[in-house]
Amino acid sequence: MCPPSSNVHQKEEASTSTLKSLVGVLSLTSIGLLVGVIVLATQQSGGDAPATVVPDVATEEVSSLSQEERSLTAFMESKATSAFFAEAEDNTCAGKKIALDNDLCVNMEVAPQAGANVTKGYVGGLEVGELAPNTKPYYQSSMCPVNVHWHLGSEHYSAGEYDENGDGPHGNQPRPDWAQRERDLAEGKVRDGFRCNHYDAADEKFTKEYDWKYCEGMEVGETYEVHWPHSAAGACGTVNQYQTPFYDGVFCNLNMETLVTLQAQDIANAVGVHGQVFTIVNDEEYFYPDLIRGMLVDGEHGQDMAIYTGSTTGTSRSNEVCSSYTPITWQVDRKCHMISASSFDKMCYDMKMQRDDMSGDLHAHGSRELVHDKYVANNQYDKATRE
Ligand SMILES: *[C@@H]1O[C@H](CO)[C@@H](O)[C@H](O)[C@H]1NC(C)=O
């Protein structure tokens, strides 16, 4: 009995070869398709790189934004629905400011004021005895930054860096004439301070407008003095560390009962401000990504420091009306630095991501007029020469 195996085998062979050729044709076809896709992709991307797939976005407005802007916008939208920001009571520093009224300077006994002349060699005219500023880096005294804010022009004065010879898109302040100094301010204008000497109207980086997204009312070419108030009584290392008004942060873990027991030197040791002056440029070579964290200490930044005891500043204080928040330590960078507008806008974005509402500090504040010698402490410490 011979099974019709050979016949079957032949049939099998026939169908196998048909399959084989079919597979061959198909694979050739797919290679052809693949080549077609590659050619198309290469044509689309101009031959540089494969075209990236951008998912459809809901609105026209959003689709006109770059990838990077789209994610920042999305983070702002997430903030609006986040439970982290929902309950105002969760901010343990809210309302912790201890209100101390301004007073007439002549009524105040030994209450040194800021911002002063910080030029090397300058010594104030107010005898403060043994009172000394805290000359160490603030973190070494358990202090942390509790806020960042800035003033239009500089409140301090550093000869050759930010003084009456500086310039900007709106000019500068004259050298103070303390005998009769009351600058008339146009309605709605804030009092401005001194400008740095970097500005050059012929150089585009000082004049090219920047598309500000998070800071308010800022201008390329202008000079701003940035302040980082620090406090050992701040909510250091917690989500409530940064506060507006900054007094909420300074006093977060301090009450009036404890405050009145403190000596002047205790306060100067535990509360300090870093001050650094910048001219804004539209040039990414000057981008610094983390300005909310504190004064820049790197290379020339934060090197030539003036250190003294003073007070809080701002336009509600003058040479007649003084601040009662004194004596606190001031560490001020004598040099004026250039910084990109994007560095400030990034800082404003970060401020908007803090738990506390910092919207009151997204614009420049006015500047106090330069403090008269007779209200400036005579305890200047020159880091460069005494260390
Ligand atoms: C600031 O101090 C320096 C050094 O003592 C001095 O030369 C300069 O005139 C002072 N500037 C003002 C405005 O008082």
Side-chain angles (χ1 to χ4, degrees):
M1 296 258 297
C2 207
S5 64
S6 62
N7 208 6
V8 170
H9 192 72
Q10 270 174 359
K11 267 191 188 161
E12 272 180 355
E13 263 186 355
S15 51
T16 308
S17 59
T18 316
L19 257 177
K20 271 185 184 160
S21 50
L22 218 105
V23 168
V25 170
L26 274 177
S27 57
L28 269 179
T29 317
S30 2
I31 288 170
L33 273 173
L34 195 67
V35 170
V37 168
I38 290 170
V39 168
L40 270 176
T42 315
Q43 279 171 350
Q44 265 180 8
S45 63
D48 289 323
T52 45
V53 178
V54 181
D56 279 354
V57 276
T59 65
E60 277 219 342
E61 197 201 337
V62 175
S63 67
S64 69
L65 297 175
S66 74
Q67 197 96 17
E68 180 193 351
E69 287 169 328
R70 192 173 308 157
S71 52
L72 288 184
T73 308
F75 286 143
M76 296 307 284
E77 280 160 13
S78 305
K79 182 191 171 183
T81 40
S82 164
F84 178 68
F85 299 95
E87 300 295 334
E89 310 86 74
D90 290 345
N91 171 12
T92 53
C93 301
K96 288 293 179 73
K97 171 177 179 175
I98 296 178
L100 303 177
D101 292 335
N102 290 338
D103 201 354
L104 290 177
C105 301
V106 289
N107 288 349
M108 298 176 81
E109 259 178 65
V110 195
Q113 300 290 304
N117 188 344
V118 292
T119 308
K120 204 184 217 53
Y122 174 84
V123 178
L126 183 68
E127 173 55 52
V128 294
E130 292 294 297
L131 178 69
N134 186 336
T135 59
K136 290 185 291 195
Y138 292 151
Y139 69 88
Q140 288 182 11
S141 305
S142 301
M143 288 190 238
C144 64
V146 295
N147 167 274
V148 60
H149 67 267
W150 51 94
H151 300 264
L152 175 58
S154 72
E155 295 194 302
H156 287 89
Y157 177 104
S158 180
E161 291 289 328
Y162 34 96
D163 61 11
E164 69 276 9
N165 299 317
D167 200 9
H170 303 290
N172 192 18
Q173 280 281 1
R175 189 183 171 85
D177 174 3
W178 282 307
Q180 31 102 4
R181 177 164 148 73
E182 249 328 298
R183 234 168 81 92
D184 290 329
L185 287 175
E187 194 81 34
K189 285 266 175 73
V190 296
R191 183 180 296 281
D192 51 342
F194 299 101
R195 270 43 174 219
C196 302
N197 56 25
H198 296 299
Y199 184 74
D200 176 1
D203 183 341
E204 192 182 50
K205 71 168 174 280
F206 297 104
T207 56
K208 199 171 102 201
E209 271 188 38
Y210 176 80
D211 184 17
W212 297 90
K213 294 235 158 41
Y214 304 104
C215 295
E216 294 160 8
M218 303 288 289
E219 204 174 341
V220 171
E222 266 299 6
T223 292
Y224 299 96
E225 177 168 333
V226 182
H227 291 161
W228 293 267
H230 285 62
S231 171
C236 298
T238 78
V239 291
N240 297 315
Q241 184 172 324
Y242 281 85
Q243 296 285 321
T244 293
F246 67 80
Y247 296 99
D248 282 356
V250 169
F251 294 114
C252 189
N253 291 315
L254 194 69
N255 53 31
M256 193 58 164
E257 292 74 63
T258 314
L259 180 65
V260 295
T261 66
L262 298 179
Q263 302 294 308
Q265 188 62 61
D266 299 329
I267 297 169
N269 288 346
V271 179
V273 186
H274 273 153
Q276 206 160 37
V277 180
F278 299 97
T279 294
I280 305 260
V281 292
N282 194 340
D283 182 346
E284 299 312 323
E285 198 186 321
Y286 298 89
F287 177 64
Y288 298 92
D290 208 6
L291 215 47
I292 189 173
R293 189 204 293 255
M295 176 181 82
L296 294 175
V297 183
D298 185 43
E300 281 253 287
H301 295 94
Q303 275 303 303
D304 187 8
M305 302 296 293
I307 304 182
Y308 71 106
T309 57
S311 63
T312 56
T313 64
T315 46
S316 75
R317 286 98 192 192
S318 62
N319 283 312
E320 277 89 48
V321 177
C322 278
S323 167
S324 304
Y325 295 97
T326 170
I328 59 175
T329 289
W330 278 86
Q331 300 189 356
V332 183
D333 191 340
R334 291 194 179 104
K335 289 262 180 305
C336 174
H337 308 276
M338 288 190 270
I339 194 160
S340 74
S342 55
S343 309
F344 263 73
D345 221 22
K346 165 64 166 51
M347 169 167 63
C348 288
Y349 173 81
D350 289 337
M351 291 167 76
K352 290 183 130 177
M353 283 291 148
Q354 299 304 308
R355 169 176 270 168
D356 192 26
D357 175 10
M358 297 189 77
S359 56
D361 283 327
L362 297 170
H363 61 270
H365 297 265
S367 288
R368 183 182 191 167
E369 56 190 310
L370 188 66
V371 177
H372 194 290
D373 298 330
K374 67 185 175 207
Y375 300 126
V376 179
N378 67 343
N379 59 6
Q380 278 71 16
Y381 174 93
D382 189 347
K383 211 177 161 203
T385 57
R386 293 200 206 173
E387 254 180 13

